[in-house]
Amino acid sequence: MKKSTCIVLSIFGILTNLNAQISTNSEVFNTLKANDSLLFERSFNNCETQYLEQLIAQDFEFYHDISGIINAKDEFIQIMKSGICNSNNSTKSRRELVEGSLEVFLLKNNGKVYGALQNGVHKFFETTNGNTVPGSIAKFSHLWIIEDGRWFLKRVISFDHTM
């Protein structure tokens, strides 16, 4: 291989890695992974919806490929409380993150991190009268934004639901 070709390929490799997924050992990755756990393990699986108040941005938007759009934080929290987390609901849903699927990509403005895109795959289970069956598997993208030094979930896209 020519020396000039090697140099071009090396530069391309360096530039490609500048925008790559961040390390799974990084502080941001671990912070957003912990936030994912608060959203799903605590809020979705255990119906501790107070975590939603802490993590969701005021101008929150949720896009779901089956159930449509939710345009407000309060509306989303109310749907959680009256739906999945309703004590009269005979079916309980549970979400699990697919191990190794979580990715985080930093968003920067002039070199300063202002947010991150978190992508992953999750699977759902439905329990009725003690009988648990697999539900859908889906992909998700979460847009996290830093406001006043804290991470807030601003946008959610939940897509590619399959059984």
Side-chain angles (χ1 to χ4, degrees):
M1 192 180 310
K2 290 183 177 179
K3 186 176 180 178
S4 61
T5 303
C6 288
I7 291 170
V8 168
L9 289 175
S10 296
I11 291 171
F12 178 76
I14 290 168
L15 291 175
T16 300
N17 284 331
L18 290 177
N19 292 318
Q21 172 188 324
I22 62 173
S23 167
T24 57
N25 296 322
S26 74
E27 181 181 347
V28 171
F29 185 93
N30 288 321
T31 296
L32 295 184
K33 185 175 182 183
N35 285 354
D36 177 86
S37 182
L38 289 174
L39 284 170
F40 286 101
E41 182 60 33
R42 303 300 293 272
S43 297
F44 187 90
N45 293 348
N46 293 314
C47 291
E48 298 171 11
T49 56
Q50 69 270 22
Y51 292 103
L52 299 175
E53 289 287 346
Q54 300 169 18
L55 293 171
I56 294 178
Q58 284 306 121
D59 60 345
F60 175 77
E61 292 177 357
F62 184 96
Y63 300 88
H64 194 280
D65 64 345
I66 295 172
S67 60
I69 301 169
I70 300 170
N71 287 314
K73 174 181 181 173
D74 293 339
E75 180 184 0
F76 178 76
I77 293 171
Q78 185 55 44
I79 288 171
M80 287 288 294
K81 288 178 179 180
S82 64
I84 292 167
C85 295
N86 184 333
S87 60
N88 295 323
N89 197 348
S90 62
T91 299
K92 178 67 182 126
S93 298
R94 178 173 50 90
R95 179 261 198 181
E96 289 182 8
L97 178 65
V98 172
E99 187 68 33
S101 72
L102 203 60
E103 303 175 312
V104 175
F105 302 86
L106 294 179
L107 301 173
K108 299 177 183 178
N109 184 8
N110 294 320
K112 183 179 179 190
V113 174
Y114 69 88
L117 182 64
Q118 180 186 50
N119 296 323
V121 177
H122 46 200
K123 53 188 174 179
F124 297 89
F125 299 88
E126 307 297 329
T127 302
T128 305
N129 300 323
N131 184 30
T132 301
V133 295
S136 63
I137 296 175
K139 297 174 184 163
F140 66 92
S141 292
H142 290 173
L143 174 62
W144 291 91
I145 299 296
I146 300 171
E147 294 176 359
D148 298 324
R150 292 183 48 214
W151 289 95
F152 289 95
L153 183 58
K154 192 171 186 82
R155 304 287 183 265
V156 170
I157 303 173
S158 185
F159 62 100
D160 197 27
H161 285 79
T162 58
M163 294 306 273

